[in-house]
Amino acid sequence: MDQLKHYISVACISFTFSILFYLLFSWLDIFPPMGEALIAQMLVISICIIILIFVTHQLPIQNTLILRLIEFLYVVIVLLIAGGFFNLFPFTWSTTSFVIATGVLTYLVVIIVTFMGNQSSAMQINAVIARKKREASTDQNN
């Protein structure tokens, strides 16, 4: 169940930041304004990417660098395929570069936020362990 929560959280984070980055590039007149259909399509894209990442995590790949590279390739490939399928953007060098930049930025934010969450959880676990050790030590001394 915790793993399901993790993937749902990652999907929500990636969707949120991809929308924010798209909005930023829209304000800079790089992308057109956002509409409801585009938001729904971006949700589908985020879900497709997270499903592919979930499937990859089921494989017996132990090397974190290889896993990250595969995840990054999924982001780029899904963005390009979805861009063509949904006719989201013209396939010019500049537009495609910004689409890939959006994907890369979103991917990096997800990795950073996930890392920070893992660090926070580890600190909480370590604090509980330290407290229990202190309690056990106090009980032994009495």
Side-chain angles (χ1 to χ4, degrees):
M1 185 64 171
D2 284 340
Q3 212 176 24
L4 178 63
K5 289 179 187 176
H6 169 76
Y7 287 104
I8 290 172
S9 296
V10 168
C12 291
I13 293 166
S14 66
F15 175 70
T16 300
F17 278 93
S18 63
I19 292 291
L20 290 174
F21 288 127
Y22 186 97
L23 190 59
L24 172 68
F25 288 139
S26 176
W27 286 339
L28 296 172
D29 290 327
I30 296 167
F31 292 151
M34 192 178 300
E36 292 113 359
L38 177 63
I39 293 170
Q41 292 163 343
M42 289 177 76
L43 178 62
V44 170
I45 291 167
S46 293
I47 291 170
C48 288
I49 291 170
I50 202 66
I51 288 171
L52 287 172
I53 289 173
F54 169 77
V55 169
T56 301
H57 289 178
Q58 305 313 304
L59 300 174
I61 301 172
Q62 299 298 319
N63 188 318
T64 305
L65 184 61
I66 291 173
L67 270 174
R68 296 291 182 223
L69 180 61
I70 292 170
E71 291 171 359
F72 174 75
L73 289 173
Y74 283 155
V75 169
V76 172
I77 291 167
V78 170
L79 284 173
L80 295 176
I81 290 172
F85 181 77
F86 291 127
N87 198 25
L88 293 176
F89 57 89
F91 280 89
T92 63
W93 283 109
S94 63
T95 305
T96 304
S97 297
F98 279 106
V99 168
I100 292 172
T102 301
V104 169
L105 290 171
T106 301
Y107 181 72
L108 291 174
V109 166
V110 168
I111 288 175
I112 291 167
V113 170
T114 302
F115 176 77
M116 289 171 32
N118 290 343
Q119 290 297 101
S120 175
S121 295
M123 288 172 56
Q124 289 173 346
I125 290 168
N126 289 336
V128 169
I129 291 170
R131 188 182 79 234
K132 290 193 184 263
K133 282 183 179 179
R134 281 192 307 272
E135 289 172 0
S137 175
T138 304
D139 290 344
Q140 286 178 347
N141 291 334
N142 291 335

